[in-house]
Amino acid sequence: MEALSLPINTLTKSSAKHIPLAANSNYASLSSLQFNPSFTTTPHTLRKSLLRVQAQSEDYELKQMRDMAAARKRWEALIRDGKVKVLTPREAGYAVQLSSKPLLDVRPSNEHKKAWVRASTWIPIFDVDNKLDFGTIPTKVTNFVMGGWWSGMPTLSYDSQFLAKVEEKFPKDSELIVACQKGLRSLAACELLYNAGYKNLFWVQGGFEAAEEEAVPLKFAGIGGVSEFLGFTEQQRAAAAKEGWGYRLVFSARLIGVFLVADALYIGAQQIGRYLQDIKTH
């Protein structure tokens, strides 16, 4: 039998800018630096504050790592005990097309907009955090600085209505296939769904990025930022190996352009500095 890839619909890339996926850090203490009235910018005070921020950030990152390790153990137990069954993307494609099993897409909106599977139901477990207030700005800035600029990953927040939305669409005895871009968020969704009473769950291992080569838009839906612009992602390298030099030249030209722009900005900054220095001396 001929292998069936996941049926997909694709959208052209939106011109709207993505808010920088969430890095796993949340430097909440940055807000205290910005809004603490007693804070003075003397070198000694600044150094102490930065050291305090670094220590708190390292503690938070350590907690995040521990939480993730504990979550992975729980997810592995779900699969090992057969509470959640594993499907490859190809097997999921068969199940969706031939058995009419429902496919639950739990990816955030920035990935879903780029490509999605026909007849799937989209209910994100985490979605792009579009709030802009004093509590979220430091987190968004930190996520951007800590890698969002490179990966294009936006800050995400958990949708507290996720379970309620799923329950509106599917009864508890449904055979649900759960998928995300890389397979981690869908595992988290499976854990929530299982604990809520869903006992016929199927997890797509590796997510949509592990789909058949024909499903290129799905495989590319999770990339972004400077790494996508320069063609430095794994998906783009794989495509370049197949497409040849024509594909690589596009991104080589972009890289050269970035260096030229950076060089021009550096020279311009030097000229402005000299001009301001001349004004001061005269």
Side-chain angles (χ1 to χ4, degrees):
M1 181 181 289
E2 183 179 353
L4 299 177
S5 60
L6 288 172
I8 59 172
N9 284 343
T10 60
L11 292 178
T12 55
K13 294 181 179 178
S14 171
S15 59
K17 295 182 180 178
H18 296 301
I19 301 173
L21 196 211
N24 289 328
S25 322
N26 180 7
Y27 295 82
S29 54
L30 287 178
S31 59
S32 65
L33 287 179
Q34 185 173 358
F35 301 110
N36 187 350
S38 63
F39 178 73
T40 57
T41 54
T42 63
H44 179 68
T45 306
L46 179 61
R47 183 173 179 274
K48 287 178 63 178
S49 299
L50 290 176
L51 288 174
R52 185 172 64 252
V53 169
Q54 183 179 3
Q56 292 174 348
S57 300
E58 289 175 353
D59 289 343
Y60 184 82
E61 289 175 358
L62 183 59
K63 181 179 182 300
Q64 291 285 85
M65 291 174 62
R66 288 173 178 169
D67 290 345
M68 178 56 71
R72 285 180 181 273
K73 289 182 179 179
R74 295 196 308 270
W75 299 339
E76 289 171 359
L78 283 174
I79 294 171
R80 183 176 61 250
D81 297 341
K83 296 176 180 177
V84 174
K85 300 173 182 65
V86 179
L87 295 177
T88 65
R90 176 181 292 188
E91 291 169 338
Y94 280 122
V96 170
Q97 296 184 48
L98 302 181
S99 303
S100 300
K101 285 185 173 63
L103 175 64
L104 179 60
D105 183 350
V106 300
R107 294 176 301 160
S109 56
N110 64 305
E111 295 174 354
H112 181 261
K113 288 176 181 177
K114 295 181 180 180
W116 68 92
V117 178
R118 290 193 189 99
S120 65
T121 300
W122 175 57
I123 305 176
I125 183 172
F126 296 94
D127 207 358
V128 178
D129 188 354
N130 291 317
K131 292 182 294 185
L132 197 62
D133 52 40
F134 291 136
T136 60
I137 289 176
T139 301
K140 291 179 184 293
V141 171
T142 303
N143 286 333
F144 181 81
V145 172
M146 295 299 292
W149 65 274
W150 177 254
S151 66
M153 295 296 221
T155 303
L156 302 181
S157 60
Y158 171 68
D159 184 358
S160 60
Q161 298 301 309
F162 171 72
L163 282 175
K165 292 176 181 177
V166 174
E167 289 171 350
E168 286 180 5
K169 294 283 186 179
F170 305 104
K172 295 289 179 68
D173 59 352
S174 299
E175 292 186 325
L176 273 181
I177 300 174
V178 187
C180 66
Q181 191 64 31
K182 296 184 179 181
L184 283 179
R185 290 189 292 264
S186 52
L187 263 179
C190 283
E191 181 183 28
L192 284 174
L193 291 169
Y194 183 85
N195 292 337
Y198 288 87
K199 304 304 180 183
N200 297 310
L201 297 172
F202 298 83
W203 169 61
V204 180
Q205 187 175 30
F208 291 136
E209 281 192 8
E212 298 290 327
E213 292 301 324
E214 292 81 2
V216 169
L218 274 176
K219 295 172 73 69
F220 277 56
I223 65 176
V226 176
S227 61
E228 180 187 15
F229 179 77
L230 298 177
F232 281 4
T233 65
E234 292 182 8
Q235 296 91 324
Q236 289 169 306
R237 290 197 189 103
K242 292 184 177 181
E243 297 292 335
W245 283 104
Y247 188 90
R248 297 176 186 177
L249 283 174
V250 173
F251 296 103
S252 298
R254 291 181 181 180
L255 182 59
I256 293 171
V258 168
F259 279 117
L260 291 176
V261 169
D263 192 47
L265 290 173
Y266 177 73
I267 294 173
Q270 284 186 321
Q271 295 295 332
I272 292 173
R274 293 195 188 100
Y275 176 74
L276 293 175
Q277 188 64 32
D278 291 341
I279 291 177
K280 289 181 180 180
T281 55
H282 289 62

